[in-house]
């Protein structure tokens, strides 16, 4: 059901739980990364889409100094004081709300009320589809409206990112937030993370993206992510020292420059930066191909991207590799790769609509044979971005 149609029920749930009516509601979708892996915080380019799964937040101001949260899907509650200044170990999901509330409060510059907040989402958790960004973006829109803090879209994205850095400990880029905000029906979002310029690329109606969820979430994913980011920054400093032009981020390094100087780097930084420099180049070429309708060639870049993740960035895992290898052996499949941070989560698979069902069956069967249980495969619909309801 469309989110707008569920609002009546959600408003009634809010009212019966908190004994008052909500004054603001917002919805934000999760996202899938189609091409451009770990390029966002390197000021590079990404092609992504907002997906047809997301999070709804309803909120109302309330007297007192305690904010109360309720998650309607998991039937869990949490609370925090209005002067909250940092995360707490449990429950982890409440930290995103704490972060958003605290950052909006500090922005407001005047005393703001406590809030009652209802959360209801259907982004598969641990699937690498950014349930966290969906939560942050819906919360920033809804709470921004209750606390009367007006922000333009890119500042909303930055606020969500800051909440994630400071309250979840992940030094993410802006990909998830920007995609959740700027998503469009039946289109990919193409973002330049140096300028935050966003354009859209229409999808071919005869093709679709499947999302195959391994449901694997390796321990220490967050620290591995932060470690990859630190390595990229270290590599950018190396190139700044050897290249004749300014290097602010790996975006400023071309594949040819990487080739010339990588022999002088430590091998790990060389591999990590090879991935990022290669990915930025692939997105550039990929976006050009899409403008000419060359989806098969685009799919080949998706396979290359995965191979680079597997061997250079080392952010894949056996389950994702299995899905991509299986997909690659099916003639109808145009492309497949891991999507998002990596180390688990989902693979995104580009297929003709006419072959979607058969490909899904093959992926599930082969995954079951290899790992003893099936994987979930969703049909992704590129969808509209976050909005107040
Ligand atoms: C996660 C992060 C994003 C981005 C991707 C990898 O989703 O939150 O900022 O870095 O990984 O491209």
């Amino acid at each position: 059901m469309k989110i707008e149609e569920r609002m009546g029920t959600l408003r009634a749930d809010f009212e019966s739980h908190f004994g008052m009516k909500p004054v603001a509601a917002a919805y934000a979708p999760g996202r899938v990364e189609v091409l451009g892996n770990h390029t966002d915080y390197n000021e590079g380019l990404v092609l992504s889409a907002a997906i047809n799964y997301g999070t709804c937040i309803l909120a109302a101001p309330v007297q007192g100094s305690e904010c109360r949260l309720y998650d309607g899907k998991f039937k869990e509650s949490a609370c925090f004081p209005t002067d909250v200044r940092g995360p707490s170990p449990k429950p982890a999901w409440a930290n995103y709300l704490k972060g958003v509330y605290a950052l909006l409060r500090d922005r407001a510059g005047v005393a703001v009320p406590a809030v009652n907040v209802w959360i209801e989402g259907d982004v598969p958790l641990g699937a690498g589809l950014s349930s966290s960004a969906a939560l942050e973006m819906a919360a920033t829109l809804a709470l921004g409206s209750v606390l009367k803090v007006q922000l333009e879209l890119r500042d909303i994205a930055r606020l969500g990112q800051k909440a994630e850095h400071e309250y979840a400990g992940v030094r993410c880029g802006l990909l998830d937030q920007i995609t959740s905000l700027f998503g469009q029906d039946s289109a990919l979002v193409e973002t330049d993370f140096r300028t935050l310029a966003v354009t859209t690329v229409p999808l071919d109606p005869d093709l679709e993206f499947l999302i195959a969820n391994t449901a694997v979430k390796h321990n220490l994913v967050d620290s591995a992510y932060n470690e990859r980011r630190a390595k990229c920054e270290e590599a950018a400093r190396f190139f700044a020292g050897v290249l004749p032009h300014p290097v602010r981020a790996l975006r400023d390094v071309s594949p040819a420059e990487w080739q010339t100087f990588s022999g002088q780097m430590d091998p790990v930084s060389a591999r990590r930066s090879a991935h990022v420099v290669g990915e930025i180049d692939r997105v550039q070429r990929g976006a050009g191909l899409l403008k000419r309708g060359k989806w098969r060639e685009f799919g080949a870049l998706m396979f290359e991207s995965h191979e680079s993740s597997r061997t250079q960035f080392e952010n894949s895992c056996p389950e994702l590799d299995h899905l991509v290898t299986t997909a690659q052996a099916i003639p109808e499949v145009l492309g497949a790769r891991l999507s998002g941070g990596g180390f688990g989560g989902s693979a995104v698979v580009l297929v003709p609509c006419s072959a979607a069902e058969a490909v899904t069956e093959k992926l599930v069967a082969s995954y079951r044979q290899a790992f003893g249980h099936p994987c979930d495969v969703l049909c992704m619909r590129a969808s509209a971005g976050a909005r107040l309801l």
Side-chain angles (χ1 to χ4, degrees):
M1 201 194 304
K2 277 179 68 182
I3 190 66
E4 278 78 3
E5 290 159 18
R6 284 180 49 209
M7 279 318 291
T9 320
L10 292 180
R11 281 185 217 280
D13 289 345
F14 184 99
E15 199 170 341
S16 74
H17 184 81
F18 290 116
M20 56 168 56
K21 285 188 193 303
V23 305
Y27 170 81
R31 66 95 192 91
V32 65
E33 173 198 287
V34 173
L35 193 62
N37 186 244
H38 286 256
T39 54
D40 60 346
Y41 57 79
N42 290 298
E43 302 190 17
L45 311 166
V46 189
L47 283 159
S48 57
I51 60 175
N52 47 316
Y53 297 88
T55 298
C56 216
I57 296 274
L58 290 83
V62 61
Q63 288 196 337
S65 56
E66 185 174 78
C67 298
R68 292 191 297 150
L69 313 175
Y70 189 76
D71 186 309
K73 181 166 177 205
F74 295 104
K75 314 229 174 316
E76 269 184 54
S77 35
C79 57
F80 60 85
T82 49
D83 62 357
V84 61
R85 295 253 161 248
S88 34
K90 279 196 176 147
W93 59 269
N95 286 327
Y96 297 103
L97 276 304
K98 285 180 197 167
V100 166
Y101 178 86
L103 293 168
L104 286 170
R105 174 200 62 208
D106 296 347
R107 276 277 187 136
V110 293
V112 295
V115 286
N116 283 337
V117 179
W118 181 281
I119 301 150
E120 185 110 10
D122 65 0
V123 183
L125 299 181
L129 298 174
S130 254
S131 55
S132 52
L135 183 57
E136 292 151 17
M137 295 301 90
T140 308
L141 285 173
L143 299 189
S145 158
V146 173
L147 306 181
K148 303 194 171 23
V149 180
Q150 284 205 340
L151 296 172
E152 70 91 28
L153 286 183
R154 287 170 180 78
D155 286 331
I156 294 178
R158 290 191 190 95
L159 189 139
Q161 179 195 36
K162 198 164 186 316
E164 189 133 348
H165 285 198
E166 295 175 2
Y167 285 75
V170 183
R171 292 192 62 229
C172 63
L174 278 165
L175 166 66
D176 309 343
Q177 294 79 5
I178 288 283
T179 312
S180 177
L181 291 172
F182 287 88
Q184 266 188 32
D185 274 328
S186 312
L188 295 183
V189 175
E190 181 185 350
T191 311
D192 180 332
F193 284 93
R194 169 151 281 170
T195 58
L196 292 189
V198 176
T199 50
T200 51
V201 183
L203 285 171
D204 180 330
D206 294 332
L207 300 177
E208 63 185 280
F209 289 101
L210 301 176
I211 295 175
N213 177 9
T214 65
V216 171
K217 187 172 198 285
H218 286 292
N219 288 335
L220 304 178
V221 171
D222 296 348
S223 55
Y225 182 94
N226 292 346
E227 185 272 330
R228 292 295 186 281
R229 180 167 180 163
K231 267 287 174 209
C232 290
E233 286 162 358
E234 190 184 309
R237 285 193 293 276
F238 164 82
F239 282 106
V242 296
L243 289 177
H245 58 78
V247 175
R248 204 169 80 183
L250 287 178
R251 168 68 175 275
D252 299 308
V253 180
S254 70
E257 288 167 339
W258 183 90
Q259 204 66 45
T260 309
F261 291 100
S262 58
Q264 301 170 27
M265 304 173 85
D266 83 83
V268 175
S269 299
R271 288 205 303 279
R272 304 299 185 248
S273 54
H275 178 64
V276 172
V277 169
E279 283 291 281
I280 295 172
D281 180 56
R282 276 186 281 278
V283 177
Q284 234 148 16
R285 286 187 285 141
L289 289 169
L290 292 189
K291 275 159 206 148
R292 286 178 281 131
K294 299 205 173 287
W295 286 87
R296 208 25 71 218
E297 290 84 342
F298 180 81
L301 294 177
M302 292 174 70
F303 285 129
E304 272 180 34
S305 165
H306 186 81
E307 191 53 15
S308 169
S309 269
R310 191 178 72 80
T311 57
Q312 312 269 37
F313 213 63
E314 295 172 280
N315 63 333
S316 187
C317 63
E319 292 84 351
L320 286 167
D321 292 342
H322 181 85
L323 284 169
V324 173
T325 313
T326 308
Q328 200 155 13
I330 305 173
E332 291 84 359
V333 171
L334 286 86
R337 60 183 287 277
L338 70 81
S339 173
F343 312 104
S346 296
V348 55
V349 185
L350 179 59
V351 293
C353 300
S354 56
E357 224 177 288
V359 171
T360 300
E361 275 164 24
K362 285 187 186 156
L363 290 176
V364 172
S366 157
Y367 195 88
R368 183 189 279 117
Q369 202 176 25
F371 301 105
H373 57 91
C375 62
D376 260 346
V377 180
L378 307 171
C379 249
M380 192 278 284
R381 265 191 293 113
S383 302
R387 54 205 179 261
L388 277 168
L389 299 166

